Every structure is written in structure tokens, then in C-alpha cells.
Amino acid sequence: MKLLVKIFGTLVSLGAGWLGAKLVSGIWHKATGEEPPSLANPDKQQQAAAGKVLVFAVISGASASVIQAMTKRWTQKLEAKAAAR
């Protein structure tokens, strides 16, 4: 049971990370009217000013850290509930 919880937690974490990246990219696009300077857009990343790349990296990193912390806490609670059974 514990293995299933860990696999499920990993899948949820990956999904949340993907969704978070899409959300940050969408917000960036709406706010600036431009494609985000991310690894998914290497041409845009090379053409963008260093300040824009830095701001996008900080926002992306912060959102990824929050998502990781939240899913880790949720997974730990789920593991505790599974162990109690």
C-alpha cells in the first residue's frame, strides 16, 4: 500500500508541476503579450532581454518550489493515513 501511495504522490507531483508551468506561462503571456522566455521557447529565450529571462526564472522557480512543497506535504499526510490502516 505504501508503494502505491508513493507512486500516486509522484504522479500527482508531476501533474501539478506541469500544470504550474502552464499556468505561469499563460499568466506571462497575458501580462506581457509575449511568449515566455523559457527552455520550451529557446529562440525567445535567446532574444529576450536578460532582465525578462531573470524575472521569468525567479517566478518559475518560486512556483515550482511551492508546488513541490505542497505536494510533498500532501503525500506525507496520505502516507501517514495509509500506514495507520
Side-chain angles (χ1 to χ4, degrees):
M1 180 72 167
K2 194 172 184 179
L3 179 62
L4 290 175
V5 170
K6 286 188 178 208
I7 291 171
F8 182 68
T10 300
L11 292 175
V12 168
S13 180
L14 289 171
W18 176 81
L19 185 63
K22 290 294 184 182
L23 183 65
V24 169
S25 293
I27 291 171
W28 182 272
H29 191 319
K30 281 201 178 247
T32 65
E34 302 174 357
E35 291 296 316
S38 65
L39 293 175
N41 300 320
D43 293 336
K44 185 64 181 171
Q45 191 179 42
Q46 292 297 319
Q47 295 169 356
K52 283 187 178 182
V53 174
L54 181 61
V55 168
F56 185 76
V58 168
I59 292 169
S60 296
S63 68
S65 293
V66 169
I67 289 168
Q68 183 182 23
M70 297 296 287
T71 56
K72 189 171 187 175
R73 287 181 185 182
W74 180 78
T75 303
Q76 287 175 344
K77 287 180 184 178
L78 194 60
E79 285 179 10
K81 284 182 182 179
R85 289 185 174 186

